[in-house]
């Protein structure tokens, strides 16, 4: 797909309708400041993506509200951006009308919710480097500048891969998938159980020899299981029989079910009343009273220090050469 022409009306710096034809190979647009270069770039960005990165990266939601529409465009007229493109199927028009703060898209005069190639655009970085992006690049922290460059040039995914590889080499636990982390913890728990039970020492001994000894470990497990279920038992019946043995053993100690009853109506009401009381007690009124107590305590301490200081001044007036409290000799500098 190649761009043939863009037409802008009432969008950003363009009041009257303006069209720009594009060369099949390269088009260079140059002009002094405030002649609409940025407006052309933002027209492309808005038409293709429905919003400009300037608005998306704004600190406040309403910071640039209403900035798409040119202030001099008559209220009865509609601001729009049109793009004529050439594809294998001929020329097609992408039209975006500014309706309030939103975009109404039309593809070859048919209103659409999204462009036919939207999914392909999502997989690619935005091909725009605008003034605010360069400004943000200069203001970003030095340690974050490489990531800012990568994002600006559409290399964020590549930077993420690099970051993850580094973390995998330096802090592998931070990037281990949840399923693998659970498997590791299960294996660690199994190892602790093997070490804690003397009857499983033969299995633990083979297991400690590593993956290359896995067949011997398996044989040791089967041998230990057969001791409990009988040496003539088929392999497939070992696990069900072990489960039955476990359940029979447990039933000799405890054979009842456990259930936790829900709160009764009066118990629920009591809990709710307690919660409401606590929330009301720890509300704004309590905080204000607590602050007053702290202020009063501070003022009291300051008053005591002031009285202590006044008493010292009275005593030192009578005996200028000695500290009124410890009796140490003091000179003019002290």
């Amino acid at each position: 797909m190649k761009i043939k022409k863009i037409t802008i009306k009432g969008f950003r710096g363009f009041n009257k309708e303006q069209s720009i034809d594009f060369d099949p190979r390269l088009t260079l647009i140059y002009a002094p400041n405030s002649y609409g270069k940025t407006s052309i770039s933002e027209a492309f960005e808005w038409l293709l993506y429905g919003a400009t990165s300037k608005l998306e990266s704004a600190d406040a939601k309403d910071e640039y509200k209403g900035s798409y529409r040119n202030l001099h465009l008559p209220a009865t007229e509609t601001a729009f951006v049109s793009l004529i493109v050439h594809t294998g199927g001929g020329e097609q028009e992408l039209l975006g009308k500014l309706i309030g703060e939103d975009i109404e898209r039309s593809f070859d005069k048919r209103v659409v919710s999204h462009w036919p190639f939207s999914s392909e655009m999502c997989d690619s970085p935005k091909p725009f480097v605008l003034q605010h992006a360069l400004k943000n690049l200069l203001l970003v922290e030095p340690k974050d500048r490489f990531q800012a460059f990568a994002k600006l040039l559409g290399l964020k995914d590549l930077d993420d891969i690099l970051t993850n590889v580094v973390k995998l080499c330096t802090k592998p636990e931070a990037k281990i998938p949840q399923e693998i982390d659970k498997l590791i913890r299960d294996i660690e728990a199994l190892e602790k159980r093997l070490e804690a039970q003397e009857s499983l020492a033969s299995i633990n001994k083979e297991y400690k020899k590593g993956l290359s000894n896995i067949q011997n470990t398996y044989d040791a497990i089967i041998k230990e299981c057969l001791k409990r279920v009988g040496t003539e038992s088929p392999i497939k019946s070992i696990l069900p029989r072990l489960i039955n043995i476990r359940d029979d053993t447990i039933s000799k100690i405890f054979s009842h079910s456990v259930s936790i009853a829900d709160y009764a109506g009066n118990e629920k009401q009591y809990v709710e009343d307690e919660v409401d009381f606590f929330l009301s007690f720890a509300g704004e009124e309590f905080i204000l009273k607590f602050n007053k107590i702290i202020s009063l305590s501070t003022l009291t301490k300051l008053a005591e220090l002031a009285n202590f200081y006044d008493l010292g001044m009275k005593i030192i007036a009578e005996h200028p050469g000695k500290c009124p409290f410890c009796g140490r000799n003091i000179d003019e500098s002290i």
Side-chain angles (χ1 to χ4, degrees):
M1 183 176 72
K2 287 191 175 183
I3 299 170
K4 292 199 66 177
K5 181 170 72 174
I6 185 171
T7 303
I8 308 171
K9 178 181 177 181
F11 183 86
R12 299 290 286 122
F14 287 83
N15 178 18
K16 296 180 181 180
E17 184 174 323
Q18 299 279 345
S19 295
I20 301 173
D21 293 317
F22 284 76
D23 185 89
R25 296 184 64 185
L26 176 67
T27 299
L28 176 66
I29 299 173
Y30 66 97
N33 290 339
S34 302
Y35 268 68
K37 300 187 300 297
T38 301
S39 294
I40 295 171
S41 297
E42 290 186 337
F44 273 108
E45 191 177 20
W46 176 79
L47 177 65
L48 294 175
Y49 297 96
T52 62
S53 54
K54 183 177 182 179
L55 266 70
E56 290 178 332
S57 61
D59 294 332
K61 185 177 180 181
D62 298 332
E63 184 175 355
Y64 297 108
K65 186 176 182 180
S67 62
Y68 288 147
R69 184 182 177 88
N70 187 283
L71 295 177
H72 302 290
L73 184 71
T76 56
E77 298 184 21
T78 301
F80 71 86
V81 178
S82 169
L83 205 61
I84 303 297
V85 298
H86 182 78
T87 63
E91 291 186 2
Q92 295 171 315
E93 181 187 23
L94 283 65
L95 174 65
K97 294 181 180 179
L98 181 61
I99 309 299
E101 294 291 318
D102 299 320
I103 182 173
E104 179 186 277
R105 298 177 179 85
S106 296
F107 184 71
D108 275 350
K109 304 187 183 305
R110 291 181 293 104
V111 176
V112 295
S113 59
H114 57 274
W115 304 123
F117 45 81
S118 292
S119 58
E120 298 174 16
M121 291 197 302
C122 292
D123 296 333
S124 305
K126 293 182 179 180
F128 304 100
V129 180
L130 301 176
Q131 290 178 351
H132 64 274
L134 295 174
K135 178 183 176 182
N136 293 339
L137 189 62
L138 294 174
L139 296 177
V140 75
E141 292 280 344
K143 62 183 179 65
D144 300 324
R145 192 154 291 154
F146 178 82
Q147 284 74 18
F149 264 113
K151 182 178 180 181
L152 189 65
L153 298 177
L155 302 175
K156 185 178 183 304
D157 290 342
L158 184 61
D159 180 53
D160 289 344
I161 292 174
L162 175 62
T163 301
N164 290 336
V165 169
V166 172
K167 287 184 177 179
L168 188 61
C169 296
T170 56
K171 297 180 179 179
E173 65 280 357
K175 286 296 177 181
I176 293 176
Q178 185 176 356
E179 297 82 359
I180 302 300
D181 182 59
K182 182 179 182 303
L183 176 61
I184 292 173
R185 287 187 281 108
D186 289 344
I187 292 175
E188 290 174 347
L190 175 63
E191 290 175 345
K192 290 180 180 179
R193 292 174 65 183
L194 284 173
E195 293 173 354
Q197 299 186 45
E198 294 182 3
S199 61
L200 302 179
S202 59
I203 298 176
N204 189 38
K205 180 181 177 181
E206 299 296 339
Y207 174 78
K208 290 293 185 182
K209 294 179 181 178
L211 188 61
S212 60
N213 198 54
I214 192 67
Q215 184 60 48
N216 292 338
T217 304
Y218 177 77
D219 293 340
I221 293 172
I222 295 298
K223 184 178 179 180
E224 192 65 35
C225 291
L226 290 175
K227 286 182 182 179
R228 289 163 170 74
V229 300
T231 56
E232 298 179 356
S233 299
I235 297 296
K236 292 184 178 179
S237 68
I238 289 179
L239 182 58
R241 294 195 63 183
L242 284 172
I243 293 174
N244 289 334
I245 293 171
R246 180 198 64 184
D247 293 343
D248 291 342
T249 304
I250 294 174
S251 65
K252 295 176 183 178
I253 303 171
F254 184 83
S255 59
H256 302 283
S257 60
V258 177
S259 62
I260 301 175
D262 194 7
Y263 284 122
N266 59 335
E267 291 175 326
K268 285 184 177 179
Q269 187 61 48
Y270 174 77
V271 172
E272 291 174 0
D273 291 343
E274 289 294 304
V275 172
D276 291 339
F277 172 75
F278 175 78
L279 293 176
S280 63
F281 177 76
E284 184 176 354
E285 183 180 356
F286 170 80
I287 295 173
L288 292 173
K289 289 182 178 179
F290 186 73
N291 286 338
K292 287 182 180 179
I293 293 173
I294 294 176
S295 300
L296 181 60
S297 174
T298 304
L299 290 172
T300 301
K301 184 175 182 179
L302 291 174
E304 290 173 349
L305 289 173
N307 290 335
F308 183 73
Y309 177 75
D310 290 340
L311 177 62
M313 293 301 292
K314 290 178 181 178
I315 297 175
I316 204 170
E318 299 177 4
H319 306 283
K322 291 185 179 295
C323 171
F325 301 109
C326 68
R328 189 181 68 167
N329 292 329
I330 53 177
D331 56 23
E332 281 298 322
S333 62
I334 296 178

